[in-house]
Amino acid sequence: MKKWWIITGAFVVVVVVAVIFFGLSNLGPLIKSAVNTNGPGITKTQVHLGDVGISIFSGEAKLTDFLLGNPKGFTSPDAMKIGTIFVKVDKGSLTSGTVILDRVEILRPDLTYERAVGADNLQTIMHNVQAAVGSETSSKPASKTTGGGKKLLIRDLLIKDGTVNLTMPALAGKAVSAGLPEIHLKDLGSSTGGAPPAEIVHEVFAALYGKITSPAMTAAFNKELK
């Protein structure tokens, strides 16, 4: 009997390891496909992720060359470019309904803040994301456009070393730049045990927009304009 239990236990361990290994080895293409396929439906702009590298044993991922395009009606070629994003995945959550990201670090984002009469590009994108959140919460099951049913929970998210480039008609195609203050968010989606992707994106974007339109950033822009 004892030998049977040992064999059974060993088999279970092998199966669990195989599931984790298979999940992580396929996570890179899945992340890239999810961002490039579902992203435009959430932001209503061009979204492109260049590559995803996965460390199978540590559960860490490196995302490179992320691009967020501008909404229609704005002249700048893009709203955001990010060279590198580091992600630490809770491997045990891969087979559950909520994927847990222990850490997300967004390094050196380069943002274009384009202001026009009565609107700006980042606020327009945020409104598009909010509309996607409403679509996710009202549709059952969740549509493929907004995330396919999997939920996200982010324990710790850090945005640092960013730059914001302000442009508007009065600048005649030129831009003034200022450093983006560090943004640190915790436990995104934790209050509900995980949230749809669009809801997480909206929460992060709202924090980002709050920093960009803060009095400190306005003062920095005014200094550069003078």
Side-chain angles (χ1 to χ4, degrees), residues 89-101 150:
V89 183
D90 181 341
K91 299 188 292 293
S93 71
L94 291 175
T95 55
S96 70
T98 298
V99 176
I100 299 174
L101 306 182
K150 278 278 189 181

Side-chain angles (χ1 to χ4, degrees), residues 81 129 149:
K81 290 185 290 187
V129 174

Side-chain angles (χ1 to χ4, degrees), residues 152-155 186-195 199-200 203:
L152 293 177
L153 193 159
I154 301 179
R155 299 291 189 197
K186 287 183 174 291
D187 297 325
L188 298 171
S190 63
S191 61
T192 55
E199 188 173 319
I200 297 291
E203 193 168 348

Side-chain angles (χ1 to χ4, degrees), residues 80-84 106-111 159-165 180 208:
M80 183 188 304
K81 290 185 290 187
I82 303 173
T84 306
I106 300 174
L107 305 180
R108 295 177 295 280
D110 188 67
L111 296 102
I159 303 174
K160 64 180 183 179
D161 301 329
T163 302
V164 183
N165 309 293
L180 176 70
L208 191 62

Side-chain angles (χ1 to χ4, degrees), residues 21-38:
F21 184 91
F22 180 80
L24 284 174
S25 63
N26 286 274
L27 191 57
L30 286 175
I31 292 174
K32 182 177 178 179
S33 177
V35 171
N36 292 337
T37 301
N38 299 326

Side-chain angles (χ1 to χ4, degrees), residues 89-130:
V89 183
D90 181 341
K91 299 188 292 293
S93 71
L94 291 175
T95 55
S96 70
T98 298
V99 176
I100 299 174
L101 306 182
D102 290 323
R103 186 179 74 253
V104 177
E105 291 185 13
I106 300 174
L107 305 180
R108 295 177 295 280
D110 188 67
L111 296 102
T112 298
Y113 178 37
E114 182 177 345
R115 297 177 61 177
V117 178
D120 66 65
N121 61 334
L122 300 181
Q123 188 177 54
T124 300
I125 294 173
M126 194 162 60
H127 288 164
N128 293 341
V129 174
Q130 180 61 54

